[in-house]
Amino acid sequence: MPELADKQPSDEQGAFTAGCLLLLVLVADLAAALLVAIVLVARGWNRMGEGSARTAAGPPPDWAPVLGFGALALALGVTALVLLRIGNRGIGAVQLTLCVVLAVHTLRSWP
């Protein structure tokens, strides 16, 4: 077993791995947030032309922001739990904080 003791990652390699993992997670979260923003903007453009076709009962509530931000918060939460489970507490705590912020924003946009 002396071979395993020699192959222990150094602090520099561990910091490099954590930095790469943080960058990968942030890029994935940014891509998911961009997808949610595109969907919300597209739905907003679609609703701009419906002003003359409204009925007396009013339009139905718009659930797109709730579903979009809720899905993004769920993705952040799952990512945070996975990161916390594998031992990256700093990155997992950042992800969990972002998840809570998005969950609060989701509840505020509830129709």
Side-chain angles (χ1 to χ4, degrees):
M1 293 263 198
E3 300 90 24
L4 292 178
D6 293 337
K7 296 197 180 214
Q8 294 282 337
S10 67
D11 288 339
E12 292 174 4
Q13 288 177 342
F16 179 72
T17 304
C20 288
L21 183 63
L22 175 62
L23 184 65
L24 182 66
V25 167
L26 289 178
V27 167
D29 290 341
L30 185 64
L34 185 63
L35 181 65
V36 169
I38 289 171
V39 168
L40 291 177
V41 167
R43 286 191 51 90
W45 281 342
N46 187 25
R47 288 191 169 263
M48 286 175 59
E50 295 179 358
S52 61
R54 290 190 177 163
T55 61
D62 188 17
W63 288 95
V66 174
L67 294 176
F69 290 127
L72 189 57
L74 181 65
L76 284 170
V78 168
T79 306
L81 291 177
V82 168
L83 288 170
L84 289 172
R85 179 77 175 149
I86 63 174
N88 291 322
R89 293 184 181 183
I91 303 169
V94 169
Q95 289 290 105
L96 199 57
T97 303
L98 290 174
C99 173
V100 169
V101 168
L102 270 174
V104 169
H105 183 69
T106 302
L107 291 175
R108 283 185 157 178
S109 63
W110 196 276

